[in-house]
Amino acid sequence: MGRGIVQLFAQAGHTVRCHDAQPGAAAKAVDYVDGMFARAVEKGRMTAEAHAQTRERMTACASLADLAGCELVIEAIVEDLEVKRALFRALEDVLGSDAILASNTSSLVVAEIAAACQRPQNVAGLHFFNPVPLMKVAEVIAAVRTAPAVVARLRELTEGAGHRAVVTADQPGFLINHAGRGLYTEGLRILEEQVATPADVDDVLRDALGFRMGPFELLDLTGLDVSSRVMASIYEQFQQEPRFRPSSLVPPRVAAGLFGRKSGQGWYRYGEDGQKTAAPAKPVPEMPAGLTVWVDPAASGAAGLRALCTEAGARLVDRAQDAALLLVQPWGHDATRTALALGVDAARCVAVDPLPPLALRRTLMLTAVTTPAARDAAHALLSHGGVPVTLINDSPGFIAQRVMATIVNIAANIAQRGIASVGDLEDAVRLGLGYPKGPLGWGDQLGAARLLEVLQAQLATTGDPRYRPSAWLVRRVALGLPLTTAEAQR
Ligand SMILES: NC(=O)c1ccc[n+]([C@@H]2O[C@H](COP(=O)([O-])OP(=O)(O)OC[C@H]3O[C@@H](n4cnc5c(N)ncnc54)[C@H](O)[C@@H]3O)[C@@H](O)[C@H]2O)c1
């Protein structure tokens, strides 16, 4: 991380001094960064003159004392509180009284580092993401005693280097790792409930919602050993908040060494070439001749579903008792309860996810008693046009509904708690997590009232407090306000 930070600020025109406790490591880091610039020159992204000037601005320092006179020190050493505290104390003796001390810590409480210092007002977090030059966002963490001018200066320096600086409170996971929790916790919860396989969850979230990777692919990329520690630490730091409760599925897999890509097997298996081996898709059954279908007329996507049935050659009927297949489209409720509430036969019923529109992937949910004939008929019918279908077991809310409701609820709670401004939250999630949209704007697009309905139905079905909706979300839905609207202040 240190190398990336040196590269970023040297390229932005700053004089950068680099120190590492390990002899020779700082010089190696400077050479490495210089090599990156040399490659940029080869590719025509940097002039030879700019390269020469940048080389001049970077110095490897053998001793901490050589940092005297620096206006800002960004620490990116081992993630150990006592080691960081000792370094910050030593730095205060070397630096001027106005110097800013920033930590790149991912998981420690910045105030605990600052507490070791004589001038805690000068201490803040400045959290970059890997690889630093490419991940164009950094969190400026305002610890409880950080001076506002220090926050403003860090924001200015970071944005001057071309990165979006988002300001966040000194809270567990800061902003980006906090906002990113929902994808993992809900993905794992769906697996725990045997609703779908990891590949199903990833496929739906990629194809239907536009995530670059699903939670299981991401966990395999990061390494489950690393991610499990982050999950446990954020849960504990939030005083065991149920929304962040880690899954009991994880520790046995960590013990078994199923870390992901780096160990050759995680939620997926990886070949010699590092590519995951994909399980073959379930073959699409034959479309039954003369299939009769009833579509719940109250379903939000009823018109689209009816058109699709006709195009695929099925015959629509008006009365459920006349149909071989019954299609429903619940929000938040499971297929079984939906069939019972509508007074239709659960054995012939299949639920179709109304989220998102039917174009890219269609998710079908069975009731607890759906017959194989009804399941196969629905699979054949909804595969019309060559669109892939994911079959899942009964669940209060489909995969996409559950994950989006969880992500939006966590984001609403971040806004409620004033951890960051709505604008910073939205940009941080797009840039830091690579989501296609900021969570609150995305919630507005999908329908905040609908997502609230999903949470309320999940809470009612499971009794699990992880699904309790944020007051911020409830108020905005009640007022019909966009979720991106900032709260009025007293
Ligand atoms: N790796 C990531 O993706 C990532 C992302 C964001 C933040 N971080 C945070 O950045 C920090 C560094 O992480 P990393 O992955 O680059 O670690 P790393 O182990 O690759 O590098 C740490 C360097 O610090 C040096 N060091 C250790 N103690 C020192 C001391 N007392 N004084 C001077 N140098 C010392 C080590 O010799 C080593 O070169 C950690 O706080 C980590 O949590 C890491």
Side-chain angles (χ1 to χ4, degrees):
M1 288 303 284
R3 292 175 175 194
I5 296 168
V6 168
Q7 183 177 335
L8 179 73
F9 284 99
Q11 189 158 15
H14 295 284
T15 302
V16 182
R17 292 185 215 162
C18 169
H19 169 72
D20 195 294
Q22 212 183 309
K28 254 199 215 160
V30 168
D31 286 346
Y32 171 87
V33 174
D34 190 49
M36 297 299 281
F37 291 139
R39 253 200 275 166
V41 172
E42 277 166 29
K43 289 184 182 165
R45 295 204 202 110
M46 191 182 223
T47 64
E49 193 191 0
H51 178 205
Q53 288 168 354
T54 314
R55 182 75 186 86
E56 285 294 300
R57 288 198 292 268
M58 298 188 293
T59 320
C61 299
S63 97
L64 212 54
D66 297 335
L67 300 183
C70 283
E71 183 198 345
L72 162 67
V73 173
I74 303 169
E75 164 276 311
I77 66 163
V78 59
E79 188 76 337
D80 178 306
L81 179 62
E82 284 316 315
V83 179
K84 287 198 198 279
R85 284 164 67 104
L87 175 66
F88 274 58
R89 264 194 303 266
L91 280 167
E92 276 196 315
D93 293 339
V94 168
L95 301 169
S97 61
D98 290 343
I100 297 174
L101 284 171
S103 175
N104 186 48
T105 180
S106 306
S107 63
L108 301 173
V109 178
V110 177
E112 287 189 21
I113 302 171
C117 296
Q118 289 165 17
R119 297 184 288 275
Q121 68 276 16
N122 290 355
V123 178
L126 186 57
H127 185 215
F128 289 94
F129 294 80
N130 200 11
V132 179
L134 299 182
M135 296 291 292
K136 301 247 174 232
V137 63
E139 294 172 318
V140 177
I141 299 135
V144 277
R145 297 184 68 176
T146 307
V150 166
V151 173
R153 183 75 180 123
L154 286 175
R155 191 167 198 166
E156 182 187 30
L157 284 167
T158 306
E159 301 229 312
H163 273 35
R164 173 79 165 86
V166 294
V167 177
T168 169
D170 190 13
Q171 285 289 295
F174 308 128
L175 177 53
I176 293 174
N177 282 333
H178 181 174
R181 286 304 88 206
L183 184 64
Y184 303 107
T185 54
E186 199 55 21
L188 284 159
R189 185 52 57 119
I190 287 167
L191 186 64
E192 273 179 20
E193 292 170 15
Q194 296 281 302
V195 171
T197 66
D200 288 335
V201 173
D202 289 343
D203 285 347
V204 168
L205 294 177
R206 255 189 287 99
D207 294 353
L209 288 176
F211 283 93
R212 279 189 211 151
M213 284 193 204
F216 297 100
E217 289 163 328
L218 276 167
L219 288 170
D220 271 4
L221 183 68
T222 317
L224 196 60
D225 50 338
V226 174
S227 299
S228 69
R229 284 197 296 272
V230 176
M231 293 191 247
S233 136
I234 290 189
Y235 175 61
E236 290 304 330
Q237 288 187 58
F238 269 118
Q239 313 297 331
Q240 306 192 345
E241 160 60 52
R243 289 191 181 106
F244 305 117
R245 193 188 315 124
S247 170
S248 64
L249 292 179
V250 170
R253 299 184 71 90
V254 172
L258 302 181
F259 301 149
R261 280 171 191 260
K262 65 183 173 190
S263 64
Q265 191 180 348
W267 304 101
Y268 298 92
R269 282 179 188 278
Y270 295 87
E272 294 284 297
D273 56 358
Q275 295 299 312
K276 72 175 194 231
T277 41
K282 276 203 180 95
V284 179
E286 283 279 312
M287 175 83 174
L291 178 67
T292 48
V293 183
W294 174 84
V295 175
D296 173 14
S300 57
L305 265 185
R306 290 173 69 87
L308 188 136
C309 291
T310 311
E311 253 179 58
R315 188 162 65 81
L316 289 164
V317 298
D318 291 335
R319 298 187 321 165
Q321 60 265 42
D322 299 333
L325 176 65
L326 315 175
L327 296 180
V328 298
Q329 284 202 305
W331 280 92
H333 290 293
D334 62 25
T336 304
R337 280 171 52 122
T338 306
L340 294 175
L342 289 168
V344 299
D345 180 12
R348 286 178 288 138
C349 186
V350 172
V352 183
D353 191 352
L355 180 73
L358 295 165
L360 286 170
R361 177 172 289 275
R362 297 165 186 158
T363 308
L364 307 184
M365 181 161 75
L366 311 182
T367 71
V369 292
T370 300
T371 62
R375 176 199 63 202
D376 290 351
H379 188 176
L381 178 65
L382 272 293
S383 296
H384 179 70
V387 175
V389 160
T390 298
L391 283 168
I392 66 170
N393 292 324
D394 212 356
S395 154
F398 295 78
I399 294 168
Q401 290 184 12
R402 288 179 64 160
V403 170
M404 279 316 300
T406 300
I407 288 172
V408 169
N409 199 33
I410 289 174
N413 214 40
I414 287 175
Q416 169 78 64
R417 295 177 58 139
I419 288 174
S421 71
V422 165
D424 279 4
L425 166 63
E426 294 291 278
D427 285 351
V429 167
R430 271 192 311 101
L431 296 167
L433 298 173
Y435 290 5
K437 298 184 182 76
L440 297 175
W442 204 355
D444 282 332
Q445 190 190 324
L446 297 173
R450 281 266 151 80
L451 295 172
L452 175 60
E453 229 180 286
V454 172
L455 291 166
Q456 285 165 335
Q458 282 183 291
L459 182 62
T461 310
T462 65
D464 190 331
R466 71 193 289 117
Y467 296 118
R468 68 196 193 286
S470 154
W472 170 278
L473 177 62
V474 173
R475 275 198 294 274
R476 268 151 195 73
V477 170
L479 287 165
L481 275 182
L483 296 181
T484 45
T485 315
E487 187 99 347
Q489 295 298 320
R490 68 191 166 83

